[in-house]
Amino acid sequence: MSKVDVEKVKAASLGLRGSIVSEIAQTTPRFSDEAVSLLKFHGTYQQEDRDVRKAARESRGEKAWSFMVRVKATGGRIAAPLWSALDDLADIHGNGTLRVTTRQGVQLHGVRKEHLRPVIADVIAHLGSTLATCGDVVRNVMAPPWPFAHPAYELVRDTARALSDEFAPRSGAYLEIWQDGETVHTEEPIDEPIYGETYLPRKFKIAVTVPGDNSIDLYTNDVGVVPVFSDDGVLLAYDITAGGGLGRTHGKTTTYPRLADHLGSVEPERLLDAVRAIVLVQRDYGDRTDRRHARLKYLIADRGLDWFRAEVERVAGFALGPWRELPAWEDVPRFGWHAQGDGRWFLGLHVPSGRVRDDGALRMKSALRALSDRGYDLVATPGQQLLIADVAADARDGVDAILRAHGVGAPESISPVRRHALACPAMPTCGLALAESERVIPELLGAIEAELATAGLPGESITVRMTGCPNGCARPYMAEVGIVGQSADRYQVYLGGEPASTRLATLWRSGVRLAEIPPLLAPLFAAFAASRRSGESFGGWCAREVVAEVLA
Ligand code: SRM
Ligand code: SF4
């Protein structure tokens, strides 16, 4: 629970200014709780190194405070100069790593308070931004990461950028504080035409994708947007989903993961008006009395989809059309070289849990830096992968040579289980972590792979997603095997999601120790190998054979 009344802090903040500037000037290693809640809107979280909590308290009488800084990347695209700058910042002011997030952003960890301003100023100087990557606003807008030159992909990238611009906070506070170093106190009303003085009740997430491509996990977003084309490729409308979200709290049954509903469709030129109306309805009706009940998913669940659609239509001033049928969804992580369709290529790399670091002979961070210094843009995928974009056909060998020289092997050699896995950061930086995630998943995946091999399924593709708490940052509730931290070394196991991320998984076991998970899954793998239907995924088999039994 937040220690401050976030609604009051927002209202009194004069457009997200609050006391941030005066507190930056103080020599204390942390901010007040009020400033901490405003800093999120600026893209930074106050954290502590939980590994050294006791030692830090004993030696300094204070926790080991530092800051996570989250950088925006609409559709995951990170221009080469910005990546090179982030790489430097990670070494100079961070913990020497960068982390690609499950919403296609990039995070720096371990930034000390006195370095926050130089870090964010440098991001701005390299044409990046951290604004609205956190806080009660529209967050980083997702789009399929693949840099295909196909018109449908170009359209959704443009649409994601238009939505991102539409919902960017207008307050001048961001540049005043981080670029200029002072706030301009004004008696003028704060000019936030969409958000007003108190912004949204809670975070708000939007994703855009092309029909069939579910790389962005459409149904987990507050709003999803999908263009609908005629057979000859003419844009007819946009389908809109609403009310997805995954966060929940252990023991609080009024909180739950929810798949988005099919809200309807809209004519192409009215898309921004329609999405703005949705955001405004959530702004005005979302539950501001309880932050655990404040997401759009609860508004729609409580009031009903028909009420919600009618209210959106009233605010928009026009009716939405019916939902238009779309082709089946697929989630195909792309590794290795792929033609973009414009004569150039992109390379999909495996970055375990999105953590970019140099680790012994495997120098992924230095390799990516060598590539960004040569002018290659990077693209972060929702699957915590990185792509090297826009490589000329005759430059591919050179890119491969740079990667090999830094110990980065061919991505095709990575097993399917590892390729599909996601894990959230959890310990030691996340203040909400109840159990380990990123640091223990490599070993867990190894043990799961061994059990698959024993069951006669070596090389089987299964989606394993793990989080250190029930908030769902690595979207475990959509996985074939979802693992959710409960307390130190105790986890819940969810089963039955689909590889294409279209069905919620169901809770199967609770209170399981990490080491017990692979042997617990082993009999299921054996039964799956013996009785799977043609083309059936492990998640599909679990939904048929295991989940039905759990729910019975
Ligand atoms: Fe998340 C809070 C990390 C994607 C649901 N999330 C946090 C915080 C900031 C912890 C905190 O509030 O103190 C974590 C920081 C950890 C750290 O040390 O870096 C954190 N979330 C992440 C990232 C970095 C996980 C990752 O492995 O990449 C992702 C950053 C995405 C980005 O670039 O914006 C991240 N978080 C998600 C997702 C997945 C998504 O958006 O597709 C979800 C589930 C979808 C959803 O929102 O429903 C998610 N994070 C949460 C929640 C639960 C929200 C809720 O409705 O209950 C919290 C807690 C909260 O907001 O109170 C949370
Ligand atoms: Fe932290 Fe929980 Fe999100 Fe993991 S799922 S990053 S432990 S809030």
Side-chain angles (χ1 to χ4, degrees):
M1 279 297 254
S2 176
K3 287 178 231 153
V4 295
D5 182 337
V6 181
E7 289 303 316
K8 282 195 184 139
V9 174
K10 287 186 282 187
S13 74
L14 283 176
L16 305 178
R17 289 173 177 84
S19 56
I20 294 175
V21 163
S22 60
E23 291 196 38
I24 289 177
Q26 294 164 9
T27 53
T28 51
R30 58 161 299 170
F31 288 87
S32 67
D33 292 340
E34 288 78 6
V36 165
S37 63
L38 288 178
L39 279 165
K40 294 181 185 177
F41 292 78
H42 295 257
T44 182
Y45 279 77
Q46 181 167 288
Q47 302 184 320
E48 60 156 323
D49 183 342
R50 295 178 60 183
D51 281 345
V52 299
R53 181 181 283 179
K54 199 162 167 266
R57 273 229 177 100
E58 280 167 10
S59 66
R60 281 177 270 169
E62 261 290 5
K63 291 177 180 171
W65 298 109
S66 69
F67 292 79
M68 175 266 274
V69 176
R70 190 179 282 167
V71 179
K72 178 173 172 167
T74 308
R77 187 89 179 194
I78 305 140
L82 178 59
W83 184 272
S84 294
L86 293 175
D87 183 79
D88 278 344
L89 289 173
D91 291 341
I92 300 166
H93 294 307
N95 67 357
T97 74
L98 290 168
R99 197 169 184 289
V100 177
T101 78
T102 52
R103 282 197 80 73
Q104 302 180 280
V106 185
Q107 289 185 178
L108 291 154
H109 284 102
V111 177
R112 297 236 305 270
K113 184 182 167 222
E114 63 269 31
H115 299 141
L116 258 187
R117 188 183 276 142
V119 165
I120 297 180
D122 203 45
V123 170
I124 297 168
H126 288 89
L127 307 183
S129 178
T130 62
L131 177 64
T133 51
C134 319
D136 300 340
V137 282
V138 170
R139 302 287 189 90
N140 200 40
V141 178
M142 294 217 272
W146 330 114
F148 291 132
H150 188 279
Y153 277 89
E154 281 164 354
L155 174 75
V156 295
R157 286 194 290 267
D158 288 347
T159 306
R161 277 191 289 270
L163 286 161
S164 181
D165 292 347
E166 174 71 14
F167 295 109
R170 301 283 187 266
S171 163
Y174 182 68
L175 291 182
E176 281 171 26
I177 294 174
W178 306 109
Q179 200 178 41
D180 308 337
E182 57 180 328
T183 48
V184 180
H185 285 287
T186 163
E187 297 304 312
E188 296 292 308
I190 301 306
D191 182 24
E192 287 282 17
I194 294 177
Y195 294 126
E197 276 194 347
T198 48
Y199 292 80
L200 298 180
R202 210 53 166 93
K203 57 178 74 167
F204 195 99
K205 299 183 171 180
I206 302 180
V208 190
T209 192
V210 303
D213 183 334
N214 201 20
S215 52
I216 46 77
D217 243 324
L218 187 76
Y219 291 99
T220 65
N221 282 270
D222 294 83
V223 165
V225 173
V226 192
V228 183
F229 299 100
S230 67
D231 290 344
D232 49 358
V234 175
L235 176 63
L236 301 175
Y238 286 97
D239 270 342
I240 299 180
T241 60
L246 298 182
R248 51 175 277 275
T249 304
H250 287 310
K252 203 165 180 328
T253 50
T254 50
T255 63
Y256 46 83
R258 181 178 194 276
L259 294 189
D261 294 306
H262 291 169
L263 183 67
S265 62
V266 66
E267 292 157 25
E269 54 282 8
R270 286 181 152 172
L271 176 71
L272 285 188
D273 295 332
V275 179
R276 193 186 315 109
I278 294 172
V279 171
L280 293 181
V281 172
Q282 160 67 356
R283 181 195 68 185
D284 295 343
Y285 290 95
D287 185 354
R288 289 180 188 259
T289 65
D290 178 1
R291 290 184 66 78
R292 289 183 200 225
H293 188 252
R295 293 289 294 270
L296 178 68
K297 63 180 177 180
Y298 297 119
L299 180 66
I300 295 181
D302 293 349
R303 302 250 192 165
L305 188 63
D306 290 342
W307 172 87
F308 181 71
R309 189 186 295 106
E311 199 54 33
V312 168
E313 290 176 342
R314 188 186 66 72
V315 173
F318 55 82
L320 297 175
W323 175 264
R324 296 174 179 238
E325 281 314 306
L326 293 169
W329 293 106
E330 271 185 84
D331 176 15
V332 190
R334 291 180 167 88
F335 292 86
W337 286 106
H338 295 266
Q340 294 184 179
D342 57 359
R344 297 181 294 175
W345 294 71
F346 72 87
L347 176 66
L349 294 175
H350 174 66
V351 185
S353 301
R355 183 73 67 176
V356 177
R357 59 154 58 100
D358 283 353
D359 188 8
L362 178 56
R363 293 165 55 231
M364 174 68 85
K365 181 167 169 295
S366 298
L368 294 174
R369 174 60 188 267
L371 291 168
S372 64
D373 279 352
R374 281 167 177 75
Y376 291 112
D377 285 1
L378 302 183
V379 191
T381 81
Q384 295 177 327
Q385 265 190 273
L386 271 170
L387 315 178
I388 315 293
D390 305 341
V391 182
D394 60 2
R396 282 181 293 165
D397 288 348
V399 169
D400 280 336
I402 289 172
L403 290 166
R404 299 302 165 271
H406 290 85
V408 181
E412 296 84 346
S413 61
I414 310 291
S415 75
V417 166
R418 286 178 196 272
R419 285 179 184 197
H420 288 89
L422 294 182
C424 76
M427 297 289 286
T429 52
C430 180
L432 306 178
L434 304 170
E436 294 278 353
S437 178
E438 179 185 331
R439 296 199 291 199
V440 297
I441 198 171
E443 206 179 317
L444 175 72
L445 295 177
I448 288 178
E449 283 172 325
E451 295 294 0
L452 281 169
T454 306
L457 299 166
E460 181 69 26
S461 170
I462 290 183
T463 319
V464 180
R465 295 179 177 180
M466 181 171 200
T467 56
C469 88
N471 281 319
C473 297
R475 299 187 289 269
Y477 309 114
M478 304 303 288
E480 295 179 90
V481 178
I483 299 166
V484 174
Q486 286 180 284
S487 59
D489 199 31
R490 297 281 178 180
Y491 294 87
Q492 294 180 323
V493 180
Y494 285 74
L495 295 177
E498 269 298 318
S501 237
T502 47
R503 183 175 52 227
L504 279 174
T506 301
L507 177 62
W508 178 58
R509 292 283 186 273
S510 287
V512 185
R513 287 187 193 282
L514 189 67
E516 293 166 355
I517 295 172
L520 202 60
L521 294 172
L524 300 187
F525 292 157
F528 168 57
S531 68
R532 78 192 291 184
R533 293 176 181 160
S534 164
E536 193 172 39
S537 64
F538 180 63
W541 179 87
C542 284
R544 187 163 60 79
E545 293 288 335
V546 185
V547 170
E549 197 182 292
V550 173
L551 297 177

